[in-house]
Amino acid sequence: MLMEDLFERLKKFQELLLERVALEEEIHQLPKSIAAQEEVLTRARKAHADKAARFEEVSTKVSELRQNLTDTMAQREKSEQQMDSISSPREFEALNKEITEAGQREDQFRKELKREEENFKEAEEELKAAVTLIEAQEQEIAEKRARIKNEESDMNARVKKLRAEETKITNGIDSEVVFKFERIIRSKQGIGIVPVRGTICSGCSMILPAEFVNEVRQSNKITFCPYCSRVLYYQEGEAQDEYLVDIESGSLADLDDFGDEGEDEGYDGSDDIDSGKDDMDGSED
Ligand SMILES: [Zn+2]
């Protein structure tokens, strides 16, 4: 495979991969978009449980009071009937007292009942509102889920298509190079293949040793930048010869110290340099 052809393929692969990585991230984020609504729903359900408990409590109180009122009224009516058949003033006194007291209890129960019936109405409305809120949230979430599912299946279909194209475009390229290239793209904000301009890696702006640049220029295998690990290709520039003359030849070890200060903040230590070196040294040994 011609190097030019290889570089073109890597560039195309990079495009496909970038789109796929972005899509995969988007797919990953999709469920998070309904997390806030699910939180609202959880709170609404908890509020509903509290309202339901209060409604239950007030209902019980109301029916107890109603029962008490009915019982007291029946008791009073019974006493009133007995009035017809009293035979002594003492009996009258006793019955009269019972009737009066029953009447007082009735008044008390009516008062309490009125208050509790108001509470009942309030609790009933609050419960209804809580149910409505839950239903609205559930519906909204269900609709959003359906939308997300549609989007997701569209995106997954696109991912599948991209993968197929990737497989096609990388056919014939060393699988280790493909694997490495993919890793670089994922960790270097999407740019995995960059030109060397003069003696500078345009990916990380580090100055490369002249000897190394010559290797890139003449090499018939993939070369990785020792600083940012990107794949390098040589781009003919107007000032290239000038650059080559100006740069003192130095070893990579001399440049190691600049690593941490390089413009490329994604530079992550010696691993990249080592792996880069391995590739530069080649596999002849
Ligand atoms: Zn670089």
Side-chain angles (χ1 to χ4, degrees), residues 23 29 80 103 108-109 114 126 130 137 155 164 177 231:
L23 268 174
Q29 295 292 338
E80 280 168 353
Q108 189 58 38
F109 285 141
K114 192 172 173 250
E126 283 179 4
Q137 277 301 318
M155 286 192 228
V177 170
V231 172

Side-chain angles (χ1 to χ4, degrees), residues 212-262:
F212 179 68
V213 173
N214 274 335
E215 247 182 76
V216 173
R217 204 175 173 184
Q218 288 153 17
S219 177
N220 52 0
K221 61 179 166 58
I222 301 267
T223 318
F224 295 90
C225 170
Y227 303 105
C228 68
S229 304
R230 292 182 174 96
V231 172
L232 299 172
Y233 63 92
Y234 195 79
Q235 195 170 59
E236 299 293 336
E238 288 162 15
Q240 50 176 295
D241 293 333
E242 211 173 300
Y243 273 117
L244 286 176
V245 173
D246 283 353
I247 297 304
E248 295 173 35
S249 74
S251 74
L252 290 175
D254 293 331
L255 292 164
D256 271 357
D257 291 341
F258 294 105
D260 293 339
E261 294 155 20

